[in-house]
Amino acid sequence: MAEILLFHHALGVTAGIEAFAGELRKAGHTVHVPDLFEGRAFGSIEEGMSYVQEIGFDAIIERGTQAAAAYPRDIVYAGFSLGVLPAQKLAQTREGGRGALFFYSCVPASSFGTDWPAELPVQIHGMDADPYFVDEGDIDAARGIVAAGNRAELFLYPGDAHYFADSSLASYDADAAALLTRRVLEFLRQLDR
């Protein structure tokens, strides 16, 4: 079974983030969900991103790095949207990771001063018409990582929702979220082989 460090999106640790972590725990995995916002929660992406801009993206990444220090290195790094930033940095720069899961977001590997580690398994999930994922270049960054990785997959789902796997939000797409969860669980099973 895998140990997973799961970073939340710009709304904070929502009930949907906790529910997703719960699904992974039901399958026998250990999941840690650090609160990068120190107890704050927001009602919209814009509100959450306003807070992030106040404290800085580097602060979010640093909070994620500090959270990771409490856990072993042979862990799976996962992130939803904003949470991909610390997850991706850790996956690329902290030796010993078992895998990475990026939901709704991805940045170029060069953002963290290294190439993508070719042997590190990674799954990237996003909707094919999500303006944040497609129009802001995340899909291109994801394709770059898939091209550089030997065990890298990009899954695109039909639709334009950003937080489509968060069951506590109006953007939730039950069918897409169920497929995403099945794919994630299979990814985690493969790590044990």
Side-chain angles (χ1 to χ4, degrees), residues 106-189:
C106 193
V107 296
S110 60
S111 300
F112 301 112
T114 66
D115 294 329
W116 180 258
E119 297 305 319
L120 185 70
V122 59
Q123 277 189 352
I124 306 164
H125 301 261
M127 284 201 154
D128 62 6
D130 169 8
Y132 294 102
F133 189 67
V134 176
D135 298 344
E136 294 183 6
D138 296 56
I139 193 169
D140 298 321
R143 287 179 174 140
I145 286 174
V146 169
N150 295 329
R151 300 172 65 190
E153 298 174 290
L154 169 61
F155 294 107
L156 296 175
Y157 303 80
D160 62 0
H162 191 54
Y163 294 162
F164 70 89
D166 187 320
S167 60
S168 66
L169 303 175
S171 56
Y172 180 63
D173 182 318
D175 292 338
L179 180 54
L180 177 149
T181 302
R182 284 196 302 275
R183 287 171 166 164
V184 166
L185 291 173
E186 180 56 29
F187 173 85
L188 296 172
R189 276 192 291 275

Side-chain angles (χ1 to χ4, degrees), residues 3-66:
E3 188 166 2
I4 302 151
L5 188 57
L6 177 64
F7 296 108
H8 61 78
H9 51 56
L11 302 189
V13 182
T14 61
I17 294 286
E18 291 289 7
F20 181 80
E23 287 297 312
L24 302 185
R25 290 180 184 120
K26 278 196 283 187
H29 304 289
T30 301
V31 185
H32 310 284
V33 185
D35 186 347
L36 302 175
F37 287 175
E38 300 174 334
R40 292 173 185 83
F42 300 96
S44 71
I45 294 173
E46 294 76 22
E47 289 174 22
M49 291 308 292
S50 178
Y51 170 70
V52 170
Q53 288 167 354
E54 281 177 35
I55 65 168
F57 286 97
D58 289 343
I60 293 297
I61 293 169
E62 181 57 28
R63 288 176 184 180
T65 301
Q66 289 174 359

